[in-house]
Amino acid sequence: MAVKIILSLDGGGIRGAATAQFLSRLESDLGSSLYNTFDLFAGTSTGGIIAGAIGLLQKRGVDLPDLYNYENANRIMNKSAWDRMLGFAQTEPRYDGSGKIGVLTDYFGEKKLNDADKPVLVVTYDVEKRKSDVLKSNGDQVVKAVDAFNATSAAPLYFPTAKVAGDNVRWLIDGGVIANNPAMCAYAEAVSLWGRDDEIRMLSVGTGSINRKIDGKQSQGYGALGWINHDLLGITMDESVVEYQAKVILGDNYLRVNSELHDVNDDMDDVRQKNINDLIKLGDRWYETFGDQAVALLTR
């Protein structure tokens, strides 16, 4: 019986800085590259970009935090002070997406998703077909890597719907609206590729659980704007059901790395240097808590 190991990474915008820091620390202690350690890389949104950096570009762990440096973050989340004041009162997406596409192009260039030598998948949602669309390196359609990672991170309200060309044109948004934690998509793909006879292990890394309070009684009166202002998108991106499913199916072969954000800002687009530094510290705290368990899962 062979052992197959999955890396599954949640969405969460700039909070992916914590994920990147955790993975950087993990590779340092493994003594082997993340690329060589895992057999399948899955991600949603910011997690999809990290999964692509490892699974497609074979980036080393030490290079991952650079994805979330101040310059890159502010290119992606580039708005005027006036636009920031308007917030979700704007009638257009908060960001036009050009900066994000520029950063993705710097990293992935003209590579196709199916250039990956190991399976890589990212979760998106097709707004015209009204169903999920999992873009895979072994998929039927040839998709540019930049298009795939732009689509999986096209969060509603924040970025425009992404146009993705393959055998046909698709209009896709952030897969976080249906599977912010892509663990079950990754598990299904692993079973499809390798069957049920192999031992499947999974390391699943979150981007922090939001602990912002919603007043239940007040929520009775929320309309569309009220729910948007009280984190409707964050509610749809809750990962706890998938976490439960993965744990029940995989048992001790599943490790979830995550925590409440506590003193870290939960906004997905807070690109201040202080917040990036706080997220890096959060990734360090995760490693102090889960690092030994992660190494044991991957090397036993």
Side-chain angles (χ1 to χ4, degrees):
M1 179 175 65
V3 174
K4 300 296 184 181
I5 305 178
I6 298 169
L7 178 62
S8 174
L9 305 174
D10 286 21
I14 190 60
R15 302 203 311 263
T19 307
Q21 180 66 12
F22 175 86
L23 292 173
S24 177
R25 294 278 303 273
L26 175 63
E27 184 180 87
S28 178
D29 280 355
L30 282 173
S32 177
S33 71
L34 295 169
Y35 178 80
N36 288 332
T37 299
F38 294 95
D39 300 291
L40 186 153
F41 305 89
T44 299
S45 195
T46 197
I49 296 171
I50 300 173
I54 303 169
L56 178 59
L57 301 181
Q58 301 185 32
K59 288 282 189 182
R60 297 296 302 242
V62 69
D63 297 321
L64 295 178
D66 186 60
L67 282 164
Y68 298 92
N69 66 34
Y70 181 82
E71 180 182 357
N72 283 342
N74 279 270
R75 282 178 66 192
I76 293 170
M77 314 290 189
N78 182 23
K79 273 286 188 179
S80 68
W82 172 248
D83 286 333
R84 290 183 186 277
M85 285 175 56
L86 287 174
F88 292 123
Q90 292 182 196
T91 57
E92 297 178 347
R94 182 175 286 193
Y95 308 105
D96 65 16
S98 61
K100 174 159 67 95
I101 292 172
V103 171
L104 292 174
T105 301
D106 288 347
Y107 276 86
F108 296 99
E110 294 300 315
K111 284 187 176 293
K112 307 293 192 296
L113 192 58
N114 65 2
D115 287 335
D117 293 328
K118 288 185 176 183
V120 176
L121 69 85
V122 296
V123 184
T124 73
Y125 183 82
D126 189 316
V127 297
E128 291 191 332
K129 294 181 179 179
R130 297 292 293 268
K131 67 176 187 178
S132 63
D133 193 346
V134 179
L135 306 180
K136 304 184 293 185
S137 57
N138 60 336
D140 296 331
Q141 299 194 14
V142 176
V143 176
K144 290 179 62 176
V146 169
D147 289 346
F149 302 128
N150 181 47
T152 192
S153 58
L157 306 178
Y158 291 90
F159 293 106
T161 302
K163 179 181 179 180
V164 176
D167 296 338
N168 51 43
V169 173
R170 287 167 287 176
W171 297 94
L172 307 178
I173 61 173
D174 194 320
V177 299
I178 49 166
N180 197 53
N181 178 345
M184 291 309 298
C185 294
Y187 176 76
E189 184 66 14
V191 170
S192 174
L193 289 171
W194 301 305
R196 298 179 184 275
D197 292 334
D198 289 333
E199 179 183 342
I200 296 175
R201 303 177 193 169
M202 184 185 300
L203 176 65
S204 172
V205 186
T207 58
S209 298
I210 295 175
N211 55 5
R212 190 188 314 177
K213 180 176 174 56
I214 297 176
D215 189 297
K217 185 174 182 179
Q218 287 186 4
S219 72
Q220 289 182 306
Y222 292 166
L225 186 59
W227 276 113
I228 289 172
N229 285 330
H230 289 84
D231 201 31
L232 178 62
L233 184 60
I235 293 171
T236 65
M237 292 171 63
D238 180 80
E239 78 289 337
S240 55
V241 170
V242 173
E243 181 179 352
Y244 168 78
Q245 293 167 332
K247 184 63 178 177
V248 168
I249 292 171
L250 292 171
D252 291 339
N253 282 338
Y254 174 79
L255 176 63
R256 176 68 170 169
V257 174
N258 206 26
S259 72
E260 290 189 355
L261 287 164
H262 296 296
D263 55 345
V264 179
N265 190 352
D266 62 23
D267 287 342
M268 295 192 295
D269 60 345
D270 184 348
V271 294
R272 295 172 301 147
Q273 185 65 63
K274 179 185 181 303
N275 192 55
I276 294 172
N277 292 342
D278 288 343
L279 288 163
I280 291 171
K281 292 175 183 176
L282 177 63
D284 285 331
R285 290 200 297 272
W286 286 349
Y287 197 75
E288 291 161 8
T289 303
F290 299 104
D292 288 345
Q293 297 174 65
V295 171
L297 173 73
L298 302 177
T299 60
R300 71 169 189 253

